[in-house]
Amino acid sequence: MLREQAGKLVHTSNLYGITLQEQLASRLAAISGMENVFFCNSGCEANEAAIKLARYYGHQKGIEAPAIVVMEKAFHGRTIATLSATGSRKVQAGFEPLVAGFVRVPFDDLDAVRRIAHNNRSVVAVMVELIQGEGGINVCHADYLHGLREICDAHGWFLILDEVQSGMGRTGTWFAFQNSGVEPDVMTLAKGLGNGIPIGACLAKGAAAKLFKPGSHGSTFGGNPFACAAALTTLAIIEDEGLMKNAVELGDFLRASFQSRLAGHAGVREIRGQGLMIGIELAQQCGELVQRALEAGLLINVTADTVIRLLPPLNFTREQGEMLVDTLVPLVEDFLARHNAPQAVAQSA
Ligand code: PLP
C-alpha cells in the first residue's frame, strides 16, 4: 500500500483538496466523536496545536495571559512549549527559560485542580494523559476524568487529552477516554496513528472545533497523502484484525503472569497498566535492566527511574507474551537478588 501510494503522490500543496486527508479526518471523527482534525507530523506538534487552540480560546474570552493546567510527571513532547508543559525536570533542564502559561498540579488529584479553579481566573484548559506513559504508567482513578470534565464544564475550560501514547487501540479501545464515558474537547494523537510513518493529529469538537480559521495554524507536510494512506491502512488493520481485543486479552495475560511470578518479591512495588501499556514498578532505580534485556533479546524501557515499561505491538501473540514473561522475570529476579532489595511495599493488579 505504501509503495503504491509512494508511486502516486507523496505530498502536494494544501491549496488542493487532499482526498486521503479528508477520508482520514472523517474516519477519525467517526471513531472518536470529535468533529475537526488538524494534521501534523508528530505528537509534540499535535500538542502544540492543542496549546495554541486553548490560548486562542482564552484570547477570544478576553483573557490576556491564558494558562493551562498540566500535571506532575506528565510528558507532552520536546518542543519548547511542550517541554514546558511536561512535568519532568530532566526533560526541561538546560532549555530554560520555559514557556509561561502552565500551572502544574499533582496527577490524579481533583482537589488540586479545584483549588486552581478557585484561585486562578486565567485558566482556559486542563491538559492530561489519562495514563501517564513516560511518567511511569500511572493510571488515574476511575472517577478522575469525570471530575475533570465537571470542573472544565463549570469553568468553561477545555479538556485536552493527550492520547499520543495511550490512543490508537493500545488500551483496548480506540482511545483511552472511551473506557470512561467522558468526552474531551480536544484530543491529540501520533505514534501508532501512522504505524511508523510520521503523522500527528489534533482533534476538536464543540466550541473548540469552531475556533481556528484557515490561516490560524498550519503545517507544510502535515496530512500529506502518503502519511494519510499509512494511517487509513493502520486503522483498517487494527479493526479488521481485532487488535483492540488482542490488546485487552494480551494485556490481561501479561499483567496476570507478572503478578503471579513477581508480586510478593522483595523490591517489586506494583504491576499496573491497561491493555498493552504495562508498568512494573520496582522499589529502586533499575535503568540497567534495559541493557540486560537487550542482551536477552528484549526491547524494554525504564521510565521514571524505577518503572519497567512494556509497550508491545498490538499484534503481539500469546507465544510472544509467554516468551516475554519467561525472559523478563528471571532478569528482574536476578536484578533484585544482586541489589539486595528491601521488602515489597504493595502489590496490586
Ligand atoms: N505525548 C505523549 C503522551 C508522549 O508519550 C509523547 C512521546 O513519547 C509525545 C507526546 C511526543 O510525541 P513525539 O515524540 O511524536 O513528538
Side-chain angles (χ1 to χ4, degrees):
M1 179 283 310
L2 284 180
R3 261 188 239 127
E4 192 188 317
Q5 186 58 41
K8 276 195 217 155
L9 186 64
V10 169
H11 170 71
T12 184
S13 160
N14 59 12
L15 286 174
Y16 298 105
I18 300 174
T19 310
L20 286 165
Q21 188 182 119
E22 286 166 9
Q23 285 173 4
L24 179 58
S26 302
R27 186 83 187 93
L28 286 174
I31 60 174
S32 66
M34 307 300 277
E35 291 165 24
N36 285 354
V37 189
F38 165 75
F39 288 108
C40 50
N41 313 284
S42 63
C44 60
E45 282 174 85
N47 285 335
E48 287 273 346
I51 292 165
K52 283 182 69 174
L53 193 60
R55 287 181 164 208
Y56 203 66
Y57 172 58
H59 282 279
Q60 307 265 306
K61 295 208 293 184
I63 297 173
E64 257 179 49
I68 300 174
V69 176
V70 290
M71 306 300 154
E72 286 172 10
K73 298 189 185 165
F75 185 87
H76 297 298
R78 292 176 186 274
T79 59
I80 291 293
T82 57
L83 73 79
S84 302
T86 288
S88 153
R89 279 304 296 150
K90 221 166 156 182
V91 171
Q92 296 169 340
F95 301 106
E96 297 87 352
L98 303 180
V99 171
F102 296 106
V103 186
R104 197 169 307 285
V105 295
F107 179 59
D108 206 14
D109 182 346
L110 287 173
D111 282 340
V113 183
R114 286 191 194 104
R115 278 194 293 277
I116 299 288
H118 191 69
N119 296 325
N120 189 330
R121 300 278 150 229
S122 299
V123 172
V124 290
V126 174
M127 182 164 169
V128 61
E129 298 154 88
L130 280 187
I131 302 175
Q132 292 186 325
E134 299 290 316
I137 310 292
N138 302 317
V139 185
C140 60
H141 285 96
D143 57 356
Y144 183 58
L145 194 57
H146 287 266
L148 285 181
R149 182 71 271 174
E150 268 172 36
I151 298 171
C152 286
D153 288 344
H155 297 276
W157 299 352
F158 285 165
L159 177 59
I160 303 172
L161 297 185
D162 179 341
E163 293 248 17
V164 167
Q165 193 165 134
S166 59
M168 299 309 299
R170 181 153 290 284
T171 67
T173 45
W174 281 117
F175 311 108
F177 81 81
Q178 289 170 326
N179 292 309
S180 72
V182 168
E183 291 185 349
D185 302 291
V186 179
M187 172 175 72
T188 56
L189 299 175
K191 288 201 191 285
L193 178 58
N195 197 30
I197 302 300
I199 180 165
C202 177
L203 296 85
K205 70 185 269 239
K210 295 177 183 68
L211 282 168
F212 277 176
K213 303 284 179 281
S216 304
H217 192 48
S219 165
T220 299
F221 292 124
N224 66 70
F226 186 72
C228 288
L232 279 164
T233 308
T234 304
L235 286 161
I237 290 174
I238 291 174
E239 193 160 65
D240 296 347
E241 297 187 6
L243 297 187
M244 288 182 274
K245 188 163 163 273
N246 192 54
V248 173
E249 289 171 2
L250 260 290
D252 287 349
F253 165 73
L254 289 172
R255 275 192 309 282
S257 305
F258 286 123
Q259 196 71 34
S260 77
R261 304 226 351 224
L262 284 176
H265 270 61
V268 178
R269 276 228 164 110
E270 194 178 30
I271 294 150
R272 57 179 180 252
Q274 199 171 312
L276 287 175
M277 254 184 122
I278 298 168
I280 303 169
E281 182 174 357
L282 303 188
Q284 61 193 301
Q285 299 200 349
C286 57
E288 68 174 68
L289 274 170
V290 174
Q291 183 57 32
R292 293 196 178 262
L294 208 52
E295 285 157 14
L298 289 182
L299 194 57
I300 64 163
N301 205 349
V302 168
T303 54
D305 295 334
T306 57
V307 184
I308 302 166
R309 183 184 57 173
L310 304 171
L311 297 168
L314 301 193
N315 60 355
F316 212 48
T317 63
R318 174 80 177 216
E319 292 68 37
Q320 290 168 331
E322 282 164 6
M323 196 195 294
L324 166 63
V325 174
D326 289 343
T327 312
L328 187 56
V329 167
L331 288 179
V332 174
E333 287 171 336
D334 173 65
F335 171 85
L336 293 174
R338 279 186 296 108
H339 288 79
N340 204 8
Q343 281 303 305
V345 177
Q347 278 83 39
S348 71

